[in-house]
Amino acid sequence: MKKIQISPSILSADFSQLGNEIKRLEEGGADLIHVDVMDGHFVPNLTIGPPVIKNLREYTKLPFDVHLMISPVHKYIENYAKAGADIITIHPEATENLKDSINLIKKLGKKAGVSLNPETEIKTLIDEIEHIDLVLVMSVNPGFGGQEFMPEVLTKIKELKDIKEKNQYHFSIEVDGGVNFSNSKIILEAGADILVSGTTVFKENNGDIKTNIEKLKSI
Ligand code: DX5
Ligand code: ZN
């Protein structure tokens, strides 16, 4: 039986209480903490940077699954590694050399993730795929929580699963954006290993995080 993991996005958390919110996520059974970093340039929104991540590090031992929606990204990777990121996920459009950026993340002892926007094809990362630890499939256009899931990405998830199984690659498939109780089953059946969720985890069932995480995992 495949182990399903939930990586709640703190983008939907109370930003005035981020430390306590992370504790709530851990108590509620989160497997990872998805940290959405936005620069107001690669995406039309601005969130947090390395100093905040550094301060949040002491609130949990859970892996920080850091999604860098920043461009250019290469020169900032080390800052996020030092701040306490465990997985560092970048967008191929944000680096001049994807191979160099992946190598840098791994040289820093972190897991390397690559994120595909809905319109970005698998071929942009195929040459590096054997060195990638996580493929983050965006099921919304990045920048905001609370958007509608784009079902057309299910084909991409299935294709990634086929590539992984045919070649025995080790990367995890993580899906991010609009994941909720009505689509989590079909996303997992398509091949996802990890579900990112902000709105559903924090807002459903009067914010009962434990119930929401368990419900997302149950297929
Ligand atoms: C969007 C972020 C997602 C988002 C998911 O750019 O990358 O992680 O926060 O939020 P929900 O689950 O609310 O769609
Ligand atoms: Zn994200």
Side-chain angles (χ1 to χ4, degrees):
M1 179 72 175
K2 167 166 85 172
K3 174 160 171 38
I4 299 164
Q5 293 191 298
I6 304 296
S7 185
S9 163
I10 59 170
L11 187 64
S12 301
D14 174 350
F15 266 46
S16 72
Q17 304 288 330
L18 277 180
N20 295 329
E21 295 278 76
I22 282 178
K23 277 191 171 168
R24 281 179 64 212
L25 290 174
E26 181 163 17
E27 286 152 14
D31 298 287
L32 308 102
I33 304 288
H34 189 81
V35 182
D36 282 312
V37 176
M38 301 180 183
D39 66 356
H41 170 239
F42 186 71
V43 293
N45 198 357
L46 186 64
T47 57
I48 60 172
V52 177
I53 293 173
K54 187 164 181 282
N55 278 264
L56 292 175
R57 187 63 275 180
E58 66 189 59
Y59 282 85
T60 181
K61 290 272 180 286
L62 287 179
F64 277 176
D65 167 28
V66 177
H67 178 191
L68 295 181
M69 289 161 274
I70 67 176
S71 173
V73 67
H74 191 83
K75 62 183 176 179
Y76 295 108
I77 288 171
E78 188 163 4
N79 298 0
Y80 288 94
K82 284 185 175 156
D86 297 284
I87 303 170
I88 297 177
T89 297
I90 62 175
H91 284 256
E93 299 90 342
T95 176
E96 282 169 20
N97 187 312
L98 183 60
K99 183 186 177 85
D100 286 352
S101 295
I102 291 169
N103 288 341
L104 175 58
I105 295 168
K106 298 178 83 119
K107 193 176 101 207
L108 292 162
K110 306 302 177 182
K111 289 194 172 173
V114 178
S115 183
L116 297 175
N117 281 339
E119 78 284 353
T120 306
E121 293 177 30
I122 292 172
K123 68 180 179 192
T124 55
L125 58 68
I126 201 69
D127 294 342
E128 308 311 324
I129 199 161
E130 65 184 289
H131 307 298
I132 292 172
D133 299 303
L134 179 128
V135 176
L136 175 59
V137 179
M138 294 307 296
S139 34
V140 295
N141 287 308
F144 299 92
Q147 300 179 78
E148 277 297 301
F149 178 81
M150 297 166 72
E152 55 268 36
V153 306
L154 289 168
T155 313
K156 190 184 285 183
I157 297 167
K158 287 176 189 146
E159 202 181 321
L160 282 165
K161 182 171 177 256
D162 288 348
I163 292 168
K164 176 175 169 177
E165 289 179 347
K166 274 200 192 89
N167 299 281
Q168 268 112 46
Y169 289 143
H170 72 283
F171 64 87
S172 298
I173 299 170
E174 183 175 89
V175 179
D176 184 2
V179 175
N180 58 40
F181 300 142
S182 58
N183 60 32
S184 55
K185 184 171 188 303
I186 196 169
I187 296 167
L188 292 166
E189 285 169 348
D193 303 299
I194 308 167
L195 301 179
V196 173
S197 170
T199 305
T200 297
V201 167
F202 278 101
K203 311 285 185 229
E204 292 293 336
N205 294 303
N206 295 316
D208 179 344
I209 288 176
K210 188 168 173 27
T211 301
N212 294 337
I213 285 177
E214 280 166 5
K215 230 175 143 181
L216 282 171
K217 281 187 175 179
S218 61
I219 54 169

